[in-house]
Amino acid sequence: MANTAVVLAGVPSAIHSAVLASLRAHYPTGYVFRVASSRRQKDDKAHYLDDEVQAILEACRDAVFGEKKRPSSFCRSPTQHCALTHSAGKSCSIFDGQTCSLLKPDYFILLYQPGENVKKLQEVLHHSPLAVPLSEQCYGKADRTVASAIDAIGGARAAIAHLKDHMSSLNSPYLLPPTNYGMGIEKLFKIDSDIEKQQRKVKSFRVERFADRAYKAKGDLRFSPASSEIQHGSAGPQDRAEIALTRHFRLGCTYEDKFHFDVTRADGHIHKGRTTLFCRLNGVWKPEKINANLLVDDCMRGNG
């Protein structure tokens, strides 16, 4: 499998070092693992409080963009000695804050312990990773957590084999902006472990919703995938981790960040006074023109 970032969430701090060491030993070069360790809870469930969600978000940023903990990440020269660790004493020319010649991973997986406030975690990450639950019975047990993680990664790889081709298809429903589209898209984004069943689900969704080059949505809105000829340039870098992650990944796969949807009204009228959308960067958004340019991650393109 190509370069893959894997973040474990909800793993108690008492076992997280052992879990990391075992996973790094089990998988070959090309995987980066991060654990956002958390407090051990008496009810043997993870509790995703605000501070822990923030720690998970930072672990995801680090795993994907390699902002710290060098060199345990994706190096463009893996066959050469790392200047940071080689005994010859060579110094690395990369400064703090630079990317250490990292490659952005091809895939991004979140393995999480079931528990309280999981929905909060999912809301913040906004479907950027492919999220796969660990076994509830492995909580706080290092060996069981490693075994569960290996099983979960196997399932994620099968799901990614299904998803990756969709990310290059302009008409794929997996690229719809979930907050503004609504219409039960969350059920489609909950990837079934039975991939054949998932394939039938996505085919049925597209047959029911896609017509005349657009997805029918709430309030008689239409979400039309923008053709490559009228895309408006790549999205710029983002300071906020949750925006940076969603700008590059959907359900664990990379997608073309120039891509957006033209949101129009079925009646052909301009939006002014008739449509309310939500931008994750700027909040409530009332577009004025006939087209509202909406990105995959529920942010408006430019001024909309």
Side-chain angles (χ1 to χ4, degrees), residues 140-153:
K141 302 175 179 65
D143 290 345
R144 290 188 185 181
T145 299
V146 171
S148 182
I150 291 171
D151 286 345
I153 290 170

Side-chain angles (χ1 to χ4, degrees), residues 203-276:
K203 182 178 180 180
S204 176
F205 187 98
R206 192 174 183 280
V207 167
E208 292 175 5
R209 309 288 182 83
F210 192 75
D212 299 325
R213 298 184 56 79
Y215 282 95
K216 297 177 289 185
K218 57 188 176 182
D220 293 325
L221 293 179
R222 291 165 47 83
F223 285 63
S224 303
S227 70
S228 58
E229 290 79 12
I230 57 174
Q231 291 170 358
H232 302 313
S234 299
Q238 301 294 325
D239 293 331
R240 287 169 50 184
E242 67 272 29
I243 302 297
L245 292 168
T246 58
R247 198 56 53 87
H248 295 281
F249 290 91
R250 166 58 56 84
L251 296 172
C253 300
T254 56
Y255 66 89
E256 174 54 69
D257 66 1
K258 296 179 183 177
F259 180 71
H260 73 274
F261 287 88
D262 287 334
V263 183
T264 59
R265 296 181 56 82
D267 59 15
H269 293 159
I270 63 173
H271 286 293
K272 188 173 183 179
R274 298 180 175 92
T275 302
T276 299

Side-chain angles (χ1 to χ4, degrees), residues 164-183:
K164 64 181 181 179
D165 291 337
H166 282 269
M167 299 303 156
S168 59
S169 170
L170 295 181
N171 297 334
S172 175
Y174 289 127
L175 291 172
L176 283 164
T179 298
N180 286 287
Y181 184 77
M183 299 285 286

